């Protein structure tokens, strides 16, 4: 038996990756839900027929018998659409930041806007399967994690949990992302001539993804220094994480902690001590790759994901698989 | 009155930038000293005549009346050439790592090779003008700083000196460099298809530039965590430096420390609190640009230079200007 | 029932794409044949196990029961290996230029070297399925076409055949390729800093791929002007082809010729008049996309392929599918 | 004696290059004329003071005593501003397409808009110094050539003039440009993720720069096939030009024609037969570099310029030098 799946925001980069990953699956029927045609369709060869297109309305949703809707939309659009989609009986997987923080207050602080659907925050499940798998299976409103926090939490949380992080000295997360993380809407900051042969830091110590890391890693705000950077490339996130260690005397011991924590996890891969992933290792895959170096009390962890896959569309599909009772890896390996 | 200047290693990227920066100066006569023709000359239009070419010998050096020789060569070549060039009466400005560390022991530890000219280490002057200007004026053997340490020391040293760095919690320097820093010799790591759309960390916690930072910043090894990364771009270094502050309650106070320390310095520029340089701001210039953010005891400093200019050829010319009694900024602004 | 497939040159870019495309197919068992370990293996996560590795010998070939061997090797290596592989009973799919030209004389002229296996030239089948499908099915030595000629022949041959090309005025093929076409071996020409932000023409009017176009398109040498260019990107070929038309009064008529010629072809796609493909349309696919513009007797055709897929590994697998009696599209859509 | 120079459109890429090239000249006083602040100023270090800013009004123009105004603006803005600037007594150097074609009818055909200042077309001088130097000296309204036509005309016109082009067989100009040619205004087509690792053809056979080539090269429309392409890089144009030759039996003869035609020209450089320029050879310079290959009646010419320098700001300054009676090369070598 198949599943009927809707996508809003299908022209954006995350939307395109949802189509790329879902199209080859025979058990999935896709519906592209036209919300605002703010971006042009790409030129296509003769005879091309993509997935069906329907209006983004409750009627069309019901008529198409859609089970689950991916929202690859800005947070304000997600807040507008979620209530009536849920009411129409479909599950929602939201890729925006709308439902990632637990309270309207926290949302206001970090997103500098009012939350218009505060009542839904309680029921939203944070979709990091390696940490919340059971809740995800039962979710009706799934909040897909941010790209930076996915790479950060998978790297940091097991070590905090294991008690080897000297939290008093603080944890530094120096994060670098490709340009597709900023979305497809044209802007000066993401124009070719501004980005090529350039590299820049932004959101120093106040990125809106910080609270997602605090909520899931166990760190306090005063313990965590995060800065984002824009890489001159299309896709990929690499985070270099620094901390001082307690009760550790080699990189091997840190690798062992990861191996134990992630045993059986299909999408987290650990490297041998002293080896670290580059972006090539994870581009166009749903893997989060993690490597470690250690030297006399100082540790460095490198965590890498594809921001559009494990950082967006891929993890969203991993969550969908769980929510629909399908094999978690389906369509992702 | 003019000066006669030799360049060994003129086909490398630092060598090319030496030619680019020195050629327009009417008071300079350039001599390209053919050491090993390991790289091809570029195709040139008809009628092109570059600087004169001479053999890399003591005879040719004397015959040409050369005052100062730039060595844009690997460390082992610099160690071979330096003794006879000094003996022939010319000053040496060495762009390699051969003479940057104070002792042969330190060199062995970080460069994993024996130093063959240990006797010269004592007289080598470390060419960071903002810190050693007077010694540089008198130098006969000038050791030009590494690219990473230049950006790091200019950013870190004034703050350690001012006592605002919580050294117990450690200083993190997350450094990113363009590919030209690896030189012009072909290698798999610097091949186009391996670098484009990729990003990688290397030399985690054990980069050979670390001891240059320790020597000049006042930090101890256990206090300093440094990791280098390879950016998919040609030229530029950006370092993001994290530490916890003592006795500081705003970014403005840190900016004030820099402004005071670098008052009158022609090649260090400070940004307003919360603003930071990108690589575009400094490419093809001899500037080191520094910006700061601060939040409740946590500080981030961004320091940016062009690795081939302030990180190599430009700083070498700044040193030459001092050594020859010329205006320090000549040919660099 | 499965097939056992060997790959020589598996560390090169074409070799990597062969592995990428063949690995997911359950009916294929791969053997990486270690010929010369001239390039390093990539860093891999713990637990990674790639395909089996065997020596590149007749014994190992027989012991593994290999049916077909891909040679992703330089022409001279292909000439060395082909005789004993055929003798050991396996079919050969050679991705080099060794067996593409019909005679040893032609090889000498364009490759500036002697052909050491002239006796095999007669039995080699040129693997452009859209033109030689039946011969390919029966081939024991398959010569996989060059990347440039694949894009050129698919675009030019149907039009020459249809008699609409004014051959007297000549056909211009301005070809641009990504850097991976030059292989993985490091060289100055393919170094990152030489390629980024640069663009250059090479092999003006004398590229060694020209005779492959002449053999298959029906053009004479004096009628065909071909120049190659190096694009600052990893993968993709785009050729812009110019000619004067006979008996044509619109782009639609040219589109109709292509549509008729390629009806039912799984890997050639035609665009509406005035629309043309970019590289994004075909990267990582086995498609050749073709678009046309026409204006008062002058026509322009744009033909685009991925040089590593339809221009190398993908077309080689398409040929393998035919040679093994498998569905032609298997593993390629 | 100094000159006072205004720039409208100073935040665009051509505007930035005007500032970059004019700022170091002590005899020039710059005024940035604020027309529409549609783009943001870049972040600058503390203490940065750029050129003076004045409103874009006749009053401010007169009050500042400005001699000449550069219009680095879209064509419609140039048409709006030119009349009152001329009336206020300043000369105009317009970098847009507004005044490049001789008639309003021609403008309507190629720019698909009405010309609002047709009366000024007659007095506009086309600023290609190698062909119209004397008229340029006397110009009050200078129309700076398009980037594509500059590279094309310098390469084609001397050969048509010399009678070696077989015009009946047609001339093909396959042109490739960096992204900065499209200006600084954000658009999907020039967004980083759309351009990187991509390459595309546009304006096939109907680019608006075509009539500039026809006017200056001596070719008829039916003889000239031009297609533009977008390169994934910031700056540079390379055009590959194909034609069949008459009365020529070697590349040397073509080189000789260029050498004779451009003897004494400061900004045109010719290569030895068989050698051609790449973009690196001309980036950030005002040179047009030309190389030739020939083979049995077929010729290929490669012509390369920096689209922002010889293709825009540099040529505009070359024209300004002529109009103000300054040395033509001032500030450009």
């Amino acid at each position: 038996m198949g599943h009927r799946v809707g996508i809003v925001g299908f022209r954006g980069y995350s939307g395109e990756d949802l189509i790329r990953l879902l199209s080859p699956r025979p058990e999935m029927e896709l519906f592209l839900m036209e919300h605002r045609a703010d971006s042009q369709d790409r030129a296509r060869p003769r005879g091309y027929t993509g997935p069906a297109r329907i209006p983004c309305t409750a009627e069309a949703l019901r008529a198409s018998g859609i089970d689950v809707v991916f929202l690859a939309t800005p947070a304000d659009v997600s807040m507008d659409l979620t209530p009536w989609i849920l009411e129409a009986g479909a599950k929602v997987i939201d890729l925006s930041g709308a439902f990632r923080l637990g309270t309207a207050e926290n949302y206001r602080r970090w997103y500098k806007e009012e939350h218009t659907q505060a009542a839904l925050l309680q029921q939203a499940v944070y979709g990091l399967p390696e940490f919340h798998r059971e809740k995800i299976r039962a979710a009706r409103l799934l909040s897909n994690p941010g790209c930076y926090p996915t790479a950060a939490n998978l790297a940091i949380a097991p070590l905090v949990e294991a008690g080897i992080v000297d939290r008093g000295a603080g944890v530094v997360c120096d994060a670098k992302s490709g340009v597709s993380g900023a979305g497809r809407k044209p802007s000066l900051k993401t124009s070719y001539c501004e980005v090529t042969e350039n590299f820049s830091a932004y959101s120093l110590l106040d990125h809106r993804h910080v609270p997602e890391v605090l909520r899931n890693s166990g760190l306090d705000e005063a313990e965590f220094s995060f800065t984002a950077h824009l890489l001159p490339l299309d896709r990929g996130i690499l985070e270099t994480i620094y901390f001082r260690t307690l009760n550790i005397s080699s990189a091997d011991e840190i690798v062992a902690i990861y191996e134990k924590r992630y045993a059986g996890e299909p999408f987290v891969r650990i490297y041998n001590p002293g080896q670290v992933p580059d972006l090539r290792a994870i581009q166009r895959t749903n893997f989060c790759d993690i490597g470690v170096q250690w030297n006399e009390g100082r540790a460095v962890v490198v965590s890498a994901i594809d921001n559009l896959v494990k950082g967006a569309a891929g993890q969203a599909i991993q969550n969908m698989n769980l929510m629909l009772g399908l094999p978690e890896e389906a369509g992702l390996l």
Side-chain angles (χ1 to χ4, degrees), chain A:
Chain A
M1 268 318 306
H3 290 279
R4 292 162 166 257
V5 172
I7 302 175
V8 190
F10 58 87
R11 288 189 188 84
Y13 294 129
S14 296
E16 287 190 334
D17 254 28
L18 285 168
I19 297 173
R20 176 175 73 83
L21 291 165
L22 290 169
S23 289
R25 295 173 66 171
E27 79 276 26
M28 293 285 149
E29 191 172 354
L30 292 195
F31 295 87
L32 309 184
M33 300 171 71
E34 283 280 7
H35 183 247
R36 288 179 206 149
D38 43 5
S39 207
Q40 286 182 306
D41 289 321
R42 296 183 183 278
R44 302 287 188 185
R46 289 161 69 87
Y48 171 85
T49 57
R53 299 202 179 189
I54 60 173
C56 186
T57 63
E59 271 170 37
L61 187 75
R62 285 204 188 90
S64 306
I66 290 175
D67 303 316
V68 56
V69 176
F70 291 96
L71 301 180
T73 45
D76 60 326
V77 176
S78 291
M79 288 191 273
D80 284 355
L81 302 181
T82 297
W84 65 256
I85 297 176
L86 289 175
E87 202 172 323
K91 296 175 180 181
V92 168
I93 297 176
D94 178 34
L95 282 76
S96 84
F99 301 103
R100 289 180 192 153
L101 308 185
T103 65
E105 192 186 338
N106 222 7
Y107 186 83
R108 189 182 311 119
R109 175 178 167 201
W110 291 96
Y111 286 76
K112 319 285 181 207
E113 278 168 29
E114 286 305 309
H115 202 293
T116 63
Q117 303 294 337
L120 291 172
L121 286 171
Q122 202 90 44
Q123 72 172 97
V125 174
Y126 190 75
L128 192 62
E130 291 78 7
F131 286 79
H132 309 295
R133 188 165 281 120
E134 290 318 308
K135 281 189 186 168
I136 293 167
R137 288 193 213 275
R140 290 194 59 237
L141 170 51
L142 189 293
S143 177
N144 209 53
C147 49
Y148 285 128
T150 294
N153 282 321
L154 290 171
I156 298 171
L159 308 183
V160 172
E161 200 176 273
I164 69 156
V165 176
D166 179 356
R167 294 170 54 165
V171 173
V172 165
C173 181
D174 192 90
K176 304 91 175 174
S177 174
V179 184
S180 61
R184 200 168 176 221
K185 197 178 163 194
S187 75
L188 187 58
K189 276 179 198 295
T190 57
S191 284
Y192 188 83
C193 296
E194 303 291 313
V195 172
T196 185
E197 296 291 311
N198 200 0
F199 180 67
S200 57
Y202 66 96
S203 297
L204 290 84
L205 300 179
D206 68 352
H207 196 284
R208 59 172 58 169
H209 281 177
V210 164
E212 285 183 66
V213 181
L214 303 181
R215 276 191 90 193
N216 287 276
S217 68
L219 293 175
D220 293 334
E221 190 173 345
E223 296 165 352
F224 187 58
S225 295
F226 180 94
T227 291
H229 300 75
L230 188 67
L231 286 168
L233 54 87
D234 180 12
R235 57 164 76 206
I237 281 181
L238 190 142
E239 297 182 1
T240 315
I241 298 163
Y242 301 80
F243 59 96
R244 291 170 167 263
T245 55
L246 301 174
N247 310 315
I248 281 287
S249 56
S250 73
D252 302 71
E253 296 177 48
I254 304 177
V255 167
I257 291 169
Y258 282 126
E259 290 258 300
K260 189 174 165 199
R261 175 63 184 81
Y262 292 126
E265 282 296 344
F267 296 118
V268 182
R269 301 188 299 192
I270 310 302
Y271 283 59
N272 280 327
Q275 291 205 327
V276 291
D278 61 7
L279 291 184
R280 195 72 88 229
I282 49 75
Q283 278 161 337
R284 282 166 244 271
T285 81
N286 198 48
F287 292 114
C288 177
D289 278 14
I290 299 175
V292 181
Q293 186 55 292
W294 182 90
N295 187 357
E296 301 299 323
R298 290 164 287 137
V300 181
V301 174
V302 171
S303 179
I305 62 170
D306 186 317
N307 56 299
L308 293 179
V309 189
K310 185 63 175 170
Q315 184 147 267
I317 290 170
Q318 187 180 357
N319 284 316
M320 179 201 74
N321 289 340
L322 290 167
M323 290 161 73
L324 296 180
L326 301 169
E328 188 170 343
E329 303 95 317
L332 295 170
L333 278 184

